[in-house]
Amino acid sequence: MRVLLFTFTLCVSLSALCQQTEKWQGKFEQLDQLLPTPNEYRSGSGSPGPRYWQQKADYVITAELNDVNQSITGSETITYHNNSPDVLRYLWLQLDQNNQAKGNNTQKTATNSMEDGAPAKSVSADLGLYDFDGGFKIKSVTAANGQALPHTINYTMMRIDLPQPLNPGQKISFSISWSYNINDGLMARERTQFEYFPEDGNYLYAIAQWFPRMCVYDDYQGWQNKQFLGQGEFALPFGDYSVTLTVPADHIVAATGSLQNPQNVLSKAELERFEKAKTSFDAPVVIVTHAEALQKEKTKSQEKKTWEFKAENVRDFAFASSRKFIWDAQAVKVGDQRPLAMSFYPREGNPLWEKESTRAIKNALEVYSRMTFDYPYPVAISVHAASQGMEYPMICFNRGRPDKNGNYTPAIRQSMVGVIVHEVGHNFFPMIVNNDERQTTWMDEGLNSFIQLVTELERYPDIPWTRGIPAELVPYMKGDKSFQRPLMTNSEQIISFGAEQYAKAATALFILRETVMGHELFDKSFKEYANRWAFKHPKPADFFRTMEDASAVDLDWFWRGWFYTTDHVDQSIDEVKWYKMRTDETKIEKKVTAQKGDLSSESAGKKSFNDFSAGPQPFSVIATDERLYGEFRSRTDDKAVMSKLQNKNIYEVKLSNKGGLVMPVMIEWTYKDGSKETETIPAEIWRLNEKSVTKVFVKDKEVVSIVLDPMKMTTDISLEDNAFPKTNAPSKFDTFKKKN
Ligand SMILES: [Zn+2]
């Protein structure tokens, strides 16, 4: 009997499944083997494990900027702390400038084709016609005692062989001296550049990747010495920096860290304004004015000045230098921190920059701090460098320039504000939550673009932001899959870089927060991830695991679909049947085998279900058969059950998942009286049948239309199949019919 009963109920509940034609793809299965096995360094919860370790690299750097031939000459002493459990016999350093050396692999491996009528600037970049002697000239690599250390340069990487093995817990100091020519940003689009201003004969330097930098050595992959080909950014260990920069005496320098000797490099007036800015919370204080910068442009000092900076617990150091800089600054309150938001820009940036830059820094610091942790560094700087958008600890280089008359369009303002919020936001990801950018771009660009959007929507509601908004991703999602790569793809192999690693990743997180998890669970989990991994090196699994660990939401289906595939979302309403219970039946019929399926087949084929015009179909509820009670002694009140359905409108809705991505189902019901109701069904509705589901809804009021994803929150690529009755939007079939 028991066996029989089991078979009976199973058959009913699986009736929809029996019709599955597509192969089950396990979309809700755990990621398991796709993720690394947890260990004592990285735990299964997504947090650093009990024996997590990371290396430390401290730098003392002395460098000079040559304004006559646009070059850098420097020397550094690196103290490398081996906190790993491993014995190291060699060290790897990154020589990023070699990416611009003659005969570099970036140019060699770039693919291109001939185009008639291409602009000279593009042809020059494409065919490597910019005659530039780039790349590091390494002069010496020496041990602390002055002895030369054997080293091997492999393109953008340098291996130093240690005289004695570096044991766990030991540190070693060594020195490197070098020089290199700075690229003209106009001719070679890099993340660092000089810009020449022909009108006044001056230069603006935005300097980065300018010194040999330690590679990351970690528990995950040993030395991260994957070559720099240009697209995959950087992986860097944390450390303390002490940097002295010698520049022309009339230059102003903006840099990572705190200025140590303002009294030596600033005028008395500048020094007073600088001090005043530290307590100005409402508006920026102008430290170097437009008029003062204009005056400085007219002459070129032959003297030099040395600026000293110190920065603790940073993964890099960048700076900018020019006699053209206007400089403003204000203090920002974030928790107990009082960082100084500062902007440096040539007069060509005004009036846009004096209005917007420092304000954008403040907005970014406030919202990002709320979403993650209080911004821990003493300064946050935005420098105006032409056509740039590039981030470093405490400092970033940003585009956004009015025309010669100082006019700018709303689009230029939007681009400028957006890029500043974005690049300042990079302080959080990846400068502090320090992921490996060379391997995984979405971990910083995607997470950052997402909080950028949160900041923009909150602080600039007047601007029509697009990146990260689900509906804006639809054109990409319905695009040619042969150009698409899953988010979990190494940077160098990505074609649609911005659309995927920035926009798709940001949209995925936006949907996760708005539609899947809700603000409370998402925000708590996201904050947990940021705090667990601040000043550490997270990997993708650490993010995936933490978001689930902190929320009790199994998101493996979401990561699987959004991060490991190029599938898209396309849900449709295939059929809706409207039922009403027979009202003339007051006495309970003693039908034995009647099932819901039988009832619907009763009229199937007789009525079309393109709209509600045919009216409701009747259905009956019969008395509960004795065998359904099994071992229970009590009995249901069949009449009471029936009375609950009296006069109700019952809708059997058949949905299909035409796209590959499983997503929650959002249904908007519009009733005859004009009122609306939206309900959200979790994505797990698809867990038994990933392609097609049927569900019955009981409504008091009569429904006139049903729409899926009414707020366009899922990136559903075709909306014409989202409505019942069908809307007037032409379907593919209608368009096809018209053409023929
Ligand atoms: Zn970015």
Side-chain angles (χ1 to χ4, degrees):
M1 184 63 192
R2 192 179 174 85
V3 175
L4 271 178
L5 182 64
F6 178 70
T7 317
F8 176 70
T9 45
L10 193 73
C11 221
V12 171
S13 62
L14 292 187
S15 62
L17 291 172
C18 298
Q19 296 154 18
Q20 283 194 63
T21 49
E22 298 264 346
K23 194 167 162 268
W24 179 70
Q25 293 177 23
K27 291 180 190 291
F28 288 88
E29 287 301 284
Q30 296 299 291
L31 287 172
D32 285 341
Q33 66 275 16
L34 287 173
L35 301 183
T37 307
N39 53 43
E40 57 192 346
Y41 309 121
R42 287 165 203 274
S43 76
S45 68
S47 91
R51 300 189 69 179
Y52 175 84
W53 55 267
Q54 64 190 23
Q55 306 293 65
K56 184 169 189 262
D58 298 328
Y59 295 77
V60 176
I61 309 177
T62 304
E64 181 164 344
L65 170 69
N66 188 327
D67 191 34
V68 176
N69 65 12
Q70 292 75 55
S71 65
I72 299 259
T73 305
S75 64
E76 66 183 351
T77 297
I78 300 176
T79 302
Y80 188 70
H81 305 257
N82 182 15
N83 299 323
S84 81
D86 306 329
V87 176
L88 301 177
R89 296 175 200 286
Y90 49 82
L91 308 177
W92 281 101
L93 286 91
Q94 312 183 61
L95 304 179
D96 312 89
Q97 288 294 328
N98 287 0
N99 190 43
Q100 298 188 67
K102 292 205 163 165
N104 65 72
N105 284 351
T106 304
Q107 193 74 40
K108 278 183 190 165
T109 58
T111 52
N112 43 29
S113 49
M114 285 306 294
E115 188 192 337
D116 190 17
K121 183 172 180 282
S122 315
V123 172
S124 169
D126 226 26
L127 303 184
L129 304 181
Y130 170 45
D131 188 22
F132 173 61
D133 182 20
F136 278 121
K137 325 283 183 211
I138 301 290
K139 286 179 192 149
S140 65
V141 180
T142 54
N145 62 8
Q147 249 184 349
L149 287 173
H151 58 278
T152 308
I153 294 173
N154 173 12
Y155 183 37
T156 64
M157 295 288 161
M158 177 166 73
R159 171 178 148 150
I160 297 178
D161 290 302
L162 300 177
Q164 278 90 40
L166 185 62
N167 290 316
Q170 286 185 337
K171 62 181 176 181
I172 184 173
S173 291
F174 58 96
S175 301
I176 303 172
S177 61
W178 75 93
S179 67
Y180 77 92
N181 295 318
I182 304 164
N183 60 294
D184 182 344
L186 179 71
M187 301 303 292
R189 235 190 127 204
E190 293 290 336
R191 294 168 178 79
T192 170
Q193 65 185 35
F194 71 74
E195 180 185 5
Y196 176 63
F197 295 80
E199 204 174 286
D200 50 74
N202 285 299
Y203 292 83
L204 187 160
Y205 300 90
I207 302 299
Q209 295 92 48
W210 60 284
F211 57 97
R213 307 184 293 178
M214 289 304 306
C215 292
V216 166
Y217 181 82
D218 69 14
D219 58 288
Y220 200 79
Q221 59 193 340
W223 285 107
Q224 164 47 304
N225 51 11
K226 184 171 168 59
Q227 296 285 346
F228 182 41
L229 275 175
Q231 190 155 269
E233 291 188 324
F234 311 107
L236 299 153
F238 288 104
D240 301 332
Y241 284 68
S242 175
V243 180
T244 55
L245 299 167
T246 300
V247 300
D250 50 0
H251 272 213
I252 290 289
V253 178
T256 301
S258 303
L259 178 60
Q260 300 297 299
N261 61 338
Q263 67 288 352
N264 298 345
V265 292
L266 302 183
S267 71
K268 194 161 168 285
E270 288 165 352
L271 194 57
E272 278 172 18
R273 296 168 194 160
F274 183 50
E275 287 305 316
K276 196 178 156 205
K278 291 175 184 171
T279 53
S280 175
F281 290 92
D282 298 328
V285 172
V286 181
I287 297 165
V288 176
T289 68
H290 194 117
E292 288 163 349
L294 190 64
Q295 192 57 35
K296 280 204 273 180
E297 284 183 358
K298 292 173 182 164
T299 56
K300 290 181 177 56
S301 173
Q302 300 308 307
E303 306 293 306
K304 292 172 186 174
K305 273 185 182 170
T306 298
W307 296 59
E308 298 172 22
F309 295 90
K310 275 200 160 76
E312 284 174 11
N313 217 4
V314 288
R315 53 166 254 173
D316 201 358
F317 189 102
F319 69 95
S321 185
S322 182
R323 64 175 62 83
K324 287 176 70 69
F325 278 145
I326 300 163
W327 175 12
D328 71 50
Q330 77 163 88
V332 180
K333 284 187 189 133
V334 278
D336 297 332
Q337 308 286 342
R338 296 292 178 268
L340 208 49
M342 306 202 282
S343 299
F344 297 76
Y345 41 95
R347 62 186 162 85
E348 285 77 2
N350 268 341
L352 185 56
W353 275 70
E354 63 189 11
K355 270 191 218 160
E356 301 285 358
S357 178
T358 298
R359 191 160 77 99
I361 302 171
K362 178 177 182 282
N363 284 329
L365 293 182
E366 288 171 350
V367 178
Y368 277 75
S369 293
R370 190 186 74 222
M371 293 291 286
T372 58
F373 42 77
D374 293 341
Y375 182 71
Y377 292 138
V379 299
I381 297 169
S382 165
V383 175
H384 179 29
S387 299
Q388 281 285 359
M390 191 55 206
E391 69 278 10
Y392 302 96
M394 303 186 220
I395 187 170
C396 51
F397 307 149
N398 302 307
R399 62 178 169 266
R401 185 170 295 177
D403 68 16
K404 284 202 163 181
N405 301 317
N407 300 317
Y408 55 89
T409 60
I412 288 179
R413 172 178 176 251
Q414 175 170 0
S415 162
M416 179 258 200
V417 167
V419 79
I420 295 175
V421 170
H422 179 94
E423 307 307 344
V424 170
H426 269 308
N427 275 295
F428 296 82
F429 308 95
M431 298 305 152
I432 296 170
V433 180
N434 187 354
N435 66 290
D436 177 347
E437 300 174 87
R438 184 137 315 156
Q439 297 290 5
T440 320
T441 299
W442 65 262
M443 288 189 76
D444 52 286
E445 296 302 352
L447 269 58
N448 183 37
S449 297
F450 161 68
I451 309 191
Q452 177 195 347
L453 179 64
V454 173
T455 309
E456 289 166 340
L457 294 175
E458 178 181 319
R459 299 299 171 97
Y460 300 92
D462 59 312
I463 296 179
W465 302 107
T466 54
R467 189 167 70 194
I469 304 280
E472 302 289 342
L473 191 71
V474 169
Y476 163 79
M477 294 296 271
K478 60 159 77 158
D480 185 344
K481 299 271 188 230
S482 63
F483 294 106
Q484 298 185 2
R485 302 286 179 269
L487 288 176
M488 288 294 286
T489 300
N490 176 271
S491 298
E492 296 297 345
Q493 281 83 258
I494 295 160
I495 301 167
S496 307
F497 201 66
E500 283 162 13
Q501 300 290 321
Y502 293 65
K504 182 183 169 183
T507 307
L509 295 170
F510 187 87
I511 291 172
L512 198 53
R513 185 174 188 237
E514 299 298 327
T515 303
V516 178
M517 298 176 79
H519 284 209
E520 188 185 4
L521 289 175
F522 179 94
D523 291 357
K524 275 189 178 174
S525 311
F526 194 82
K527 211 176 174 82
E528 181 71 23
Y529 166 72
N531 282 278
R532 279 179 176 180
W533 291 97
F535 296 108
K536 294 190 174 73
H537 300 272
K539 304 293 176 188
D542 301 320
F543 176 70
F544 296 152
R545 286 171 166 150
T546 296
M547 291 301 286
E548 299 188 6
D549 188 68
S551 69
V553 183
D554 180 359
L555 295 169
D556 282 30
W557 62 271
F558 189 87
W559 311 134
R560 190 181 277 282
W562 279 91
F563 287 73
Y564 288 87
T565 76
T566 57
D567 290 348
H568 59 265
V569 180
D570 185 7
Q571 295 179 354
S572 81
I573 302 183
D574 294 347
E575 191 176 58
V576 179
K577 289 178 185 171
W578 176 21
Y579 292 97
K580 273 199 167 179
M581 196 174 70
R582 285 193 176 89
T583 49
D584 53 336
E585 291 191 28
T586 43
K587 72 173 199 290
I588 299 167
E589 287 181 25
K590 282 274 181 190
K591 279 192 194 169
V592 182
T593 55
Q595 299 299 331
K596 201 184 68 181
D598 295 326
L599 283 165
S600 46
S601 66
E602 189 177 287
S603 46
K606 292 178 198 162
K607 284 179 184 169
S608 70
F609 301 108
N610 294 327
D611 54 37
F612 295 111
S613 62
Q617 301 176 66
F619 75 98
S620 303
V621 174
I622 60 166
T624 308
D625 191 88
E626 277 303 311
R627 63 193 176 127
L628 287 173
Y629 288 115
E631 296 180 338
F632 290 98
R633 297 281 163 88
S634 58
R635 293 293 176 263
T636 56
D637 183 346
D638 288 349
K639 276 193 170 168
V641 172
M642 287 169 66
S643 76
K644 281 185 181 169
L645 293 174
Q646 198 94 38
N647 298 321
K648 293 284 162 72
N649 295 285
I650 298 173
Y651 298 93
E652 184 192 84
V653 182
K654 189 179 172 204
L655 304 171
S656 68
N657 175 28
K658 295 178 179 170
L661 274 187
V662 284
M663 286 292 277
V665 175
M666 276 165 285
I667 305 185
E668 180 190 74
W669 304 88
T670 302
Y671 300 107
K672 208 172 180 180
D673 64 6
S675 61
K676 286 176 191 288
E677 177 199 5
T678 302
E679 55 191 302
T680 300
I681 301 168
E684 281 81 357
I685 190 176
W686 305 103
R687 73 192 188 280
L688 298 179
N689 185 330
E690 296 163 352
K691 281 284 165 188
S692 175
V693 293
T694 302
K695 191 170 176 66
V696 176
F697 299 84
V698 179
K699 301 291 178 190
D700 288 337
K701 296 191 235 177
E702 203 177 308
V703 170
V704 292
S705 67
I706 304 171
V707 174
L708 291 182
D709 192 15
M711 301 299 286
K712 301 188 175 64
M713 291 298 279
T714 67
T715 70
D716 193 318
I717 66 158
S718 73
L719 296 178
E720 61 262 35
D721 56 11
N722 281 21
F724 185 92
K726 274 203 183 343
T727 54
N728 293 328
S731 67
K732 277 177 197 160
F733 181 65
D734 292 334
T735 317
F736 172 79
K737 267 201 304 194
K738 257 186 198 161
K739 277 185 192 163
N740 293 274

